[in-house]
Amino acid sequence: MFDALSTLLRGGFSHGVHPPDHKGATAALPIRRMPFPEEVVLPLSQHTGAPSRLLVSKGDRVERGDKIGEAQGYVSVPVHASASGTVADVQLWPHPNGSWSEAVRIAVDPHSAQIPRPRLVPRWDDLTPDQVRTAVQDAGVVGLGGAAFPTHVKLKAPEGTKIELLLVNGAECEPYLTSDHRVMVEHPERVHFGIRIMMQCLEVDRCVIGVEMNKPDAVERLNATIPSDLDVTVLPLRVKYPQGAEKMLIKAAMGREVPSGKLPAHAGTVVQNVGSIAAIAEIFETGYPLIERIVTVTGPGIRKPSNLVIPVGTKARDVLEFCGGLTDDAREVLFGGPMMGAPQPDLDAPVLKGTSGIVVLTDAEAKPRVTYPCISCGHCLDACPVFLNPTQLGKLAQAGRYQEMMDMHLADCMVCGSCSYVCPSNIPLSQMFALAKGAVRREQQRVREAQEAERKASEKAGAAA
Amino acid sequence: MNLESILGSVAILGGVGMTFGALIALANAKMRVEEDPRLDELSDLLPGANCGACGFAGCRAFAEAVIKGETPPATCTVMSAEEREDVADYLGVDAGAANRRVARLLCAGGSDVAWRKADYVGIESCAAAVAVAGGGKGCAWGCVGFADCAVSCDFDAIIMSPFDLPVVDVDKCTACNDCVEACPLDLFALYPVDQHLFVQCRNLLDGGAAEEVCSVACTGCRRCVQDAEPGLIEVRQGLAIIDYEKIQLENPKAVERCPTGAIVWIDGQQFPSLSEAARGALSGAPNQPRGAVA
């Protein structure tokens, strides 16, 4: 009661939407381990940043946990074999983002015990922050909430900022998904251990875990296991989408606003997904790199909804089969939730480090809707969590006036889908904005390349003269 | 109101008008820009499409360049041969060699030969479809068929075939580059019209994997490489690539042994049979994006 009241007083974040959460099917299901499939496929680009550099070739024997791709640069992480076996091939393979990218196919050895090679488990309390960051990067840890941004990059305050608070994201605001929920309920100690390591690395002494109120058991379990020497607060938040977006969570938990185009560090905090924190704890518990993750497989189109531990690189087809297969009216398979998830055209696409769930929708949810003209009702303005004007932006997008959209702060749009969700005319606003952002990005890239070429040409001319 | 004030105001306004009129006349005489009288007449002879295919900022800029002798009239690819001669006659110059280019589609994967692995439901444009998981086509490099190019074409030179593949009418295409920019998959490119050898495929998969998604895909089998003049064609990443610097070596023999028909010898019209079918299906209807696959 007191918690609820304090949150109400704090006010959470403004705008946003309230989609039905549909978490009931899996919220109470314990995490199960999925058996190893016959083959795992590991794309070399599973994270935001430079793809990993290939380290193996066809025919090589690899053990579970062996590095098969090396990080290229700072904003990059290595890729590890998620099962022991033989490299069947290195080839183009369907990537969950719809393209084909270079991937390592490993034929899983059915006789292997699937135990990683013995390795030294680093003692976290002896390590300097730099060494912790290196260990985290080496283990290939990325944000497990979906964006797959390399975690070690966020473990350092950017120049000129001071981190006062570690903010742990347990909001899990996407409908259907329950993987973070189950981690908090089943492994609260692991979460607290991860928090301890991160607090030391970031040199902060306060931590807040933001959890939406529809997960009372998670709040309770986390509260019951807080170590006595850590200043950790579990903050129940009013259920609202997109609470799990970094900037919304900071507004809800700290009452601060991250300036446009700036990082959470500029508001004095770092936000880490609760799943990533548990993954970091695991490195320092077992020494294993990130080779498996917890995935919620759910939706009305799947026969046996489950929370599963799945080796990274398992094909969606194998996962769906393990969960009893698709129902007859299944229509759309999404990686991630229904609001921001990526529809999958090819079920051979593998589960990646950033895949938090596989949601299967049926004809009833995914049926095409007729789009009507905008009636300027303004519902989208009340929904937009970053206070943009989707009505106006939508009209500009239809006219292809992308530059004017940028002047109206299109860059702040995170394509959360709230505007599309509330639109009574079913206008696909979110898709239009994603498209506009892509077009602007390509145009900027083109201009940059042209300038670069011009600079090179003039340099050459200068050298010749 | 008396007559005096009426006359007074007329006189004042008239005086102001006369003064400014004189100023304008003076400015006109002093600051006059001599314009070649041929410019207006020449502009009338040009098509007035302002398409930019000549490389100048519109027809008038092109006319200026032609009058100054900076470029021959043949640089305008929109004019017919006779119109070009008219321009050349008017100026008393040589029309120049027509270096005509046309847009060619580097994909032959219509819905009859390339399968879709998923249905796309959303904004009906190629750019939007490609942004959503690649548009749902089996081949991630191939034409998705929502006609962004046909919509962008100012000359109605692109019509969609019954298999959702754009067909460029070789007679109407002016090489204005609009379709090249409209295609999110970069499947259009401009080539001299007298160039014959093309690989109508951009798929980077090898062998069976390529054929699995499209029956006219290049499988990278290298037969064309062996049959062509050395150095003309090479296979990189499962795709035959023609070196257009050496295009004078081209020879129809290279296409004979292609197992899928990905490499073709084009004489004028690309997709000749599809073109006929597309014209039949169109029968005068304007270019419209086709509906989403339901």
Side-chain angles (χ1 to χ4, degrees):
Chain A
M1 187 64 216
F2 174 74
D3 280 341
L5 201 63
S6 74
T7 313
L8 278 178
L9 288 176
R10 211 187 290 271
F13 72 99
S14 310
H15 292 188
V17 294
H18 296 93
D21 76 2
H22 293 295
K23 291 178 193 272
T26 52
L29 294 181
I31 299 167
R32 289 188 297 154
R33 188 166 277 277
M34 183 181 153
F36 284 89
E38 279 173 26
E39 181 181 77
V40 290
V41 183
L42 296 153
L44 291 169
S45 176
Q46 298 194 24
H47 49 266
T48 309
S52 322
R53 187 169 51 83
L54 185 68
L55 292 179
V56 292
S57 49
K58 191 174 170 174
D60 286 358
R61 166 84 196 179
V62 290
E63 294 299 324
R64 188 160 168 250
D66 284 359
K67 210 181 263 189
I68 57 171
E70 182 72 76
Q72 280 199 101
Y74 185 59
V75 186
S76 179
V77 291
V79 176
H80 300 84
S82 56
S84 303
T86 320
V87 176
D89 211 342
V90 179
Q91 64 179 88
L92 292 175
W93 194 265
H95 190 282
N97 68 11
S99 66
W100 292 64
S101 73
E102 198 178 26
V104 179
R105 287 172 64 189
I106 298 175
V108 179
D109 178 358
H111 305 296
S112 164
Q114 298 294 350
I115 297 168
R117 293 181 204 274
R119 63 187 67 221
L120 290 173
V121 180
R123 279 195 47 130
W124 66 275
D125 43 358
D126 288 346
L127 299 182
T128 64
D130 266 335
Q131 286 168 321
V132 172
R133 277 191 286 273
T134 309
V136 169
Q137 182 181 16
D138 261 358
V141 180
V142 297
L144 299 188
F149 189 79
T151 297
H152 65 276
V153 181
K154 291 211 286 187
L155 283 180
K156 185 171 192 175
E159 208 70 40
T161 60
K162 167 121 185 60
I163 309 294
E164 301 157 32
L165 176 79
L166 171 64
L167 193 49
V168 177
N169 187 350
E172 200 162 54
C173 59
E174 270 274 1
Y176 289 104
L177 305 185
T178 55
S179 50
D180 287 352
H181 181 181
R182 291 314 300 178
V183 170
M184 291 186 284
V185 170
E186 295 181 35
H187 305 293
E189 301 87 356
R190 194 179 285 165
V191 173
H192 289 307
F193 180 48
I195 286 172
R196 185 188 290 277
I197 297 165
M198 296 200 114
M199 284 171 77
Q200 182 195 274
C201 186
L202 286 163
E203 288 162 338
V204 296
D205 45 19
R206 228 152 50 81
C207 170
V208 171
I209 310 178
V211 184
E212 283 195 346
M213 274 185 231
N214 58 359
K215 300 182 253 297
D217 48 345
V219 175
E220 191 186 315
R221 292 282 286 141
L222 284 171
N223 262 328
T225 49
I226 296 175
S228 54
D229 59 331
L230 280 186
D231 181 3
V232 176
T233 319
V234 182
L235 183 69
L237 303 163
R238 271 190 302 169
V239 178
K240 203 201 280 190
Y241 178 88
Q243 187 109 247
E246 264 183 352
K247 294 185 177 181
M248 304 305 107
L249 187 66
I250 293 169
K251 184 75 177 55
M254 302 171 70
R256 291 187 187 170
E257 202 161 306
V258 181
S260 169
K262 298 279 184 187
L263 296 170
H266 293 100
T269 186
V270 165
V271 182
Q272 290 283 3
N273 170 266
V274 70
S276 320
I277 293 210
I280 288 175
E282 225 169 334
I283 306 169
F284 294 96
E285 275 170 6
T286 62
Y288 297 171
L290 183 63
I291 47 177
E292 56 189 24
R293 65 155 299 147
I294 298 161
V295 178
T296 307
V297 188
T298 184
I302 192 89
R303 288 187 203 275
K304 232 169 67 189
S306 320
N307 293 304
L308 298 175
V309 175
I310 296 180
V312 172
T314 306
K315 289 176 228 162
R317 193 182 301 283
D318 295 335
V319 177
L320 296 174
E321 202 168 294
F322 180 70
C323 293
L326 302 175
T327 59
D328 294 333
D329 56 349
R331 183 180 179 104
E332 187 174 16
V333 176
L334 293 159
F335 272 20
M339 296 298 282
M340 289 188 76
Q344 294 305 311
D346 197 327
L347 294 184
D348 282 332
V351 167
L352 304 184
K353 293 175 181 176
T355 310
S356 49
I358 302 181
V359 177
V360 186
L361 302 177
T362 60
D363 288 328
E365 294 85 26
K367 63 166 181 280
R369 297 206 173 107
V370 183
T371 301
Y372 298 98
C374 173
I375 55 170
S376 299
C377 65
H379 278 353
C380 50
L381 278 102
D382 288 337
C384 181
V386 287
F387 291 79
L388 301 184
N389 180 345
T391 306
Q392 191 62 29
L393 286 170
K395 286 170 187 165
L396 289 173
Q398 257 161 354
R401 286 151 70 178
Y402 297 148
Q403 203 47 53
E404 282 163 75
M405 293 175 76
M406 290 306 283
D407 298 341
M408 291 184 73
H409 308 285
L410 177 68
D412 286 337
C413 170
M414 53 192 172
V415 201
C416 69
S418 297
C419 47
S420 304
Y421 177 75
V422 296
C423 181
S425 291
N426 301 323
I427 300 172
L429 290 162
S430 198
Q431 190 187 5
M432 287 153 80
F433 301 158
L435 206 58
K437 287 177 80 159
V440 170
R441 210 167 28 241
R442 271 194 303 281
E443 177 64 19
Q444 284 168 345
Q445 173 79 14
R446 210 181 53 76
V447 169
R448 240 195 331 272
E449 275 168 12
Q451 281 171 348
E452 186 69 9
E454 205 168 291
R455 199 180 55 78
K456 274 202 181 127
S458 69
E459 253 173 35
K460 209 178 244 174
Chain B
M1 193 180 282
N2 56 21
L3 189 67
E4 208 168 290
S5 60
I6 293 175
L7 285 180
S9 44
V10 167
I12 290 170
L13 278 176
V16 168
M18 295 275 267
T19 315
F20 281 108
L23 276 176
I24 290 172
L26 194 68
N28 187 32
K30 273 268 185 219
M31 301 161 76
R32 186 185 186 82
V33 177
E34 282 300 335
E35 197 176 53
D36 195 317
R38 290 176 296 174
L39 193 55
D40 281 327
E41 292 205 27
L42 186 55
S43 294
D44 289 343
L45 286 176
L46 292 175
N50 288 322
C51 64
C54 54
F56 293 93
C59 291
R60 204 172 169 88
F62 174 68
E64 272 178 45
V66 174
I67 289 171
K68 283 186 199 150
E70 285 169 7
T71 185
T75 317
C76 175
T77 52
V78 181
M79 286 190 288
S80 66
E82 297 88 67
E83 285 171 327
R84 253 197 308 276
E85 280 310 319
D86 285 348
V87 171
D89 285 348
Y90 175 74
L91 292 174
V93 297
D94 187 29
N99 178 25
R100 208 164 96 74
R101 297 191 301 164
V102 287
R104 300 289 194 195
L105 183 70
L106 301 181
C107 172
S111 56
D112 51 336
V113 287
W115 58 273
R116 301 188 76 85
K117 53 187 175 181
D119 294 341
Y120 164 74
V121 177
I123 301 173
E124 288 172 14
S125 95
C126 304
V130 168
V132 178
K137 200 171 183 180
C139 170
W141 297 266
C143 172
V144 290
F146 287 105
D148 280 12
C149 50
V151 172
S152 79
C153 184
D154 289 335
F155 300 95
D156 288 340
I158 302 180
I159 43 185
M160 297 304 286
S161 84
F163 304 115
D164 288 335
L165 203 63
V167 179
V168 180
D169 188 327
V170 72
D171 299 323
K172 287 187 184 167
C173 176
T174 65
C176 69
N177 214 40
D178 279 354
C179 54
V180 178
E181 280 171 20
C183 181
L185 291 160
D186 295 332
L187 291 174
F188 273 109
L190 303 178
Y191 292 103
V193 71
D194 54 2
Q195 194 163 305
H196 303 291
L197 196 60
F198 291 94
V199 179
Q200 285 179 162
C201 184
R202 297 285 295 272
N203 185 313
L204 297 182
L205 297 175
D206 282 333
E211 254 185 296
E212 220 169 83
V213 294
C214 174
S215 64
V216 294
C218 171
T219 58
C221 70
R222 294 171 201 274
R223 283 184 204 155
C224 53
V225 179
Q226 290 160 11
D227 294 348
E229 294 293 324
L232 178 60
I233 309 176
E234 64 168 327
V235 170
R236 274 201 300 261
Q237 262 205 305
L239 183 62
I241 293 168
I242 298 169
D243 184 352
Y244 284 110
E245 304 265 298
K246 300 182 184 148
I247 194 62
Q248 67 279 6
L249 300 174
E250 69 176 351
N251 187 325
K253 235 174 74 187
V255 311
E256 278 167 14
R257 282 204 297 148
C258 178
T260 60
I263 186 164
V264 289
W265 184 263
I266 298 175
D267 220 348
Q269 179 66 47
Q270 190 180 16
F271 307 122
S273 59
L274 271 185
S275 158
E276 286 305 310
R279 282 178 217 209
L282 195 76
S283 61
N287 273 321
Q288 285 292 328
R290 293 182 68 91
V293 180

